[in-house]
Amino acid sequence: MAEAGPERRRRLFRLKRDRILKARRADGRIAVQTVDKVRSYGKARFPRQEVHGARGLPEPRLITCGGSYDRRKGYSGNVVVFARLTGVR
């Protein structure tokens, strides 16, 4: 994704289950990831263990601001894209 700021967030919000994501690894190969789910959470109810907890397999998470925006408090929540590694090219 080449966009920055709000446009990048809008693209994350539109991701759906089974969408394929690709990322170039440090070794030059491409990691292929499949989206499992996209969820929105209020900051007070953010599931830290589910999002940041250890997993047996590579399961990337994309996390961005979400919810309503207040100039003093910032965003009221987060959007999390849950994915899993499904291949390497």
Side-chain angles (χ1 to χ4, degrees):
M1 285 186 238
E3 301 86 7
E7 180 56 29
R8 181 172 287 173
R9 280 194 294 276
R10 280 192 284 279
R11 287 183 60 146
L12 283 177
F13 298 150
R14 292 191 302 255
L15 287 175
K16 302 288 185 214
R17 181 178 173 87
D18 295 327
R19 173 73 187 260
I20 301 297
L21 306 174
K22 297 175 187 171
R24 184 170 308 280
R25 300 179 350 164
D27 65 3
R29 296 176 73 194
I30 303 294
V32 180
Q33 304 149 0
T34 302
V35 173
D36 289 324
K37 61 184 176 180
V38 180
R39 298 287 186 265
S40 295
Y41 301 103
K43 287 190 178 188
R45 301 180 66 78
F46 189 82
R48 284 173 175 63
Q49 185 61 31
E50 181 181 5
V51 174
H52 298 296
R55 301 284 184 265
L57 300 170
E59 294 183 4
R61 305 288 186 253
L62 303 172
I63 305 167
T64 192
C65 304
S68 60
Y69 179 76
D70 178 285
R71 289 183 83 155
R72 286 192 243 157
K73 298 178 185 178
Y75 286 93
S76 63
N78 294 100
V79 174
V80 181
V81 178
F82 294 84
R84 61 185 154 47
L85 182 67
T86 51
V88 178
R89 298 184 190 156

